[in-house]
Amino acid sequence: MKVETIMQQLAAKHPGEAEYLQAVEEVLNSIEEVYNQHPEFEKAKIIERMVEPDRIFTFRVTWVDDKGEVQTNLGYRVQFNSAIGPYKGGLRFHKAVTPSMLKFLGFEQTFKNALTTLPMGGGKGGSDFDPVGKSDAEIMRFCQAFMLELWRCIGPDQDIPAGDVGVGGREIGFLNGMYQKLSRQYHTGVLTGKGMTWGGSILRPEATGFGALYFTHHVLETAGKDIKGKTVALSGFGNVAWGAAIKAKELGAKVVAISGPDGVCAIPDGITDEMIDYMLVMRASNRNKVQDMADKFPGKAIFTAGKKAWSVKCDIALPCAFQNELSEEDARELVANGTWCCCEVSNMGCQPGAIHFFQSQPGFLFAPGKAVNAGGVATSGLEMTQNAEHISWDAKEVDERLHAIMRSIHEQCVKFGTQADGTIDYVKGANIAGFMKVATAMMEQGLI
Ligand code: GLU
């Protein structure tokens, strides 16, 4: 396999699909060497098969807004790879959603899910519906119209969607209600991220952020460092940033920044519990403005319009918002301000130039999203297990299992990512570990 040749062919076949091509190239660069040691992979054309989704559903979603006007959006479900289990991955509602974005996310999800140790394949879906400024009633009508098409594509042993950007507990509730109505199936397992009274798992809302901090803790510990007393800058203020802020504070770190599309809030004394609770109010308001935090806590949270979280001095940077949110320029600014660790919590949060720059800095600790944020989907897997057994575990049990999974993912990264000089390349480690598992499963199941 030559990465350049495969990428040229792929770019010709899928012109303009920038995020998808970026995600594939990153994985191929990491696995090239290992892949070429396995002639049987080449013979079975594993790469050519693995980079294409099994299938993509595209559908029209028509709904009526509060003014009585008819609105039409596009809906998608990308079923990427089912070699190790049913398709599993979130739904993203965001105005910029395209097939390219969902293909990149489905591709990433396949490897991420393989790392969790649980039997889950990779999928992703969503819509170009923009939740910003929408009322609860509009959100409900959209979710119902979306499920009117999606329900035929999914099932507890086929494809199990969950939340992602723009889709949280509220949306999963509306989606699940409509699924049950249409299918007359009252099992609890077709979506994850459900409410606590109807099959949800305790700690699922917190899981992505908690898992990310457990992973960060292991990265630091392996490098002989402690997170206690360190300053952390987070981007975003949604579900992932919220969970990360709770756990960072619990582990003794100081969260000194959160951000939004409108700018950054610096929090010099560190985020408080009241501020963390207020993040949930901000998310539910659909305003998408981090300035609301500064208005609510004047003098404690200081808003600067148009700036990113990466402009605030910190030890550890945790991108928690969107793909490509941290550029090479941001990486240089962070390092110049003394940052020595970046754990990507968002999917593909760092641009390739940023990753290369971080990795070129001696001693800098960088870990990629598919390892760092896997605690979210892992806890979805734990939700599926509880649903299948018709039981609910308590918080201690779920937290211990989540922590054990994050420890295992870290171990896999160390196993496959330790370099000749003793340093750990977490990007390589995560990609090779995930790839080997999916490739082996595909090989053993023949040409399908
Ligand atoms: N959207 C999350 C992710 O990117 C969670 C998916 C899930 O729980 O299925 O991994």
Side-chain angles (χ1 to χ4, degrees), residues 19 22 92 96 101 104-105 165 321-326 346-351:
E19 299 104 331
Q22 180 186 335
R92 177 173 289 194
M101 195 191 291
F104 119 62
L105 289 162
V165 174
F322 216 58
Q323 73 263 9
N324 289 327
E325 57 173 306
L326 200 156
S346 43
N347 291 308
M348 209 164 78
C350 294
Q351 295 180 15

Side-chain angles (χ1 to χ4, degrees), residues 79-341:
Q79 295 186 335
F80 216 101
N81 189 299
S82 62
I84 64 172
Y87 304 104
K88 179 80 196 92
L91 297 170
R92 177 173 289 194
F93 292 171
H94 189 277
K95 60 178 191 260
V97 160
T98 58
S100 165
M101 195 191 291
L102 299 178
K103 278 167 67 182
F104 119 62
L105 289 162
F107 182 74
E108 291 273 303
Q109 197 82 44
T110 301
F111 300 102
K112 181 197 320 192
N113 293 4
L115 291 173
T116 64
T117 72
L118 304 173
M120 299 184 291
K124 203 84 188 192
S127 173
D128 59 358
F129 169 74
D130 182 5
V132 177
K134 300 292 188 296
S135 69
D136 275 3
E138 287 175 321
I139 300 268
M140 180 177 76
R141 287 197 295 277
F142 175 78
C143 288
Q144 291 176 337
F146 183 83
M147 190 50 90
L148 219 44
E149 280 290 332
L150 183 71
W151 79 279
R152 287 197 182 276
C153 314
I154 60 176
D157 294 310
Q158 286 90 41
D159 185 350
I160 307 94
D164 194 79
V165 174
V167 178
R170 169 182 50 192
E171 292 75 13
I172 294 294
F174 297 145
L175 290 163
N176 199 64
M178 196 58 169
Y179 179 84
Q180 294 198 342
K181 176 114 183 150
L182 291 164
S183 66
R184 301 197 182 181
Q185 301 276 315
Y186 305 102
H187 52 69
T188 43
V190 77
L191 293 160
T192 59
K194 298 182 290 294
M196 295 308 142
T197 58
W198 42 281
S201 173
I202 195 152
L203 288 189
R204 175 62 189 91
E206 292 88 346
T208 311
F210 279 23
L213 266 295
Y214 292 149
F215 196 89
T216 306
H217 161 78
H218 288 302
V219 170
L220 264 56
E221 191 184 55
T222 309
K225 296 179 191 285
D226 188 351
I227 194 165
K228 228 181 162 134
K230 304 297 183 298
T231 50
V232 174
L234 302 175
S235 60
F237 58 86
N239 168 263
V240 174
W242 168 77
I246 298 174
K247 192 51 85 178
K249 188 165 176 283
E250 219 176 281
L251 296 177
K254 191 164 141 187
V255 177
V256 292
I258 61 168
S259 67
D262 52 333
V264 63
C265 273
I267 313 170
D269 296 335
I271 206 162
T272 61
D273 291 340
E274 294 71 34
M275 291 178 184
I276 292 173
D277 288 346
Y278 196 64
M279 287 165 91
L280 293 177
V281 179
M282 286 159 64
R283 179 351 177 138
S285 77
N286 289 341
R287 282 170 47 79
N288 214 15
K289 286 199 170 11
V290 79
Q291 186 171 5
D292 292 357
M293 183 65 87
D295 293 345
K296 178 80 181 169
F297 298 94
K300 299 262 174 234
I302 300 133
F303 176 71
T304 310
K307 282 275 182 196
K308 294 188 187 178
W310 323 131
S311 60
V312 176
K313 186 176 162 52
C314 62
D315 296 308
I316 302 167
L318 299 180
C320 295
F322 216 58
Q323 73 263 9
N324 289 327
E325 57 173 306
L326 200 156
S327 67
E328 183 176 337
E329 209 183 321
D330 298 327
R332 287 179 186 275
E333 185 174 4
L334 281 166
V335 170
N337 281 334
T339 301
W340 45 265
C341 173

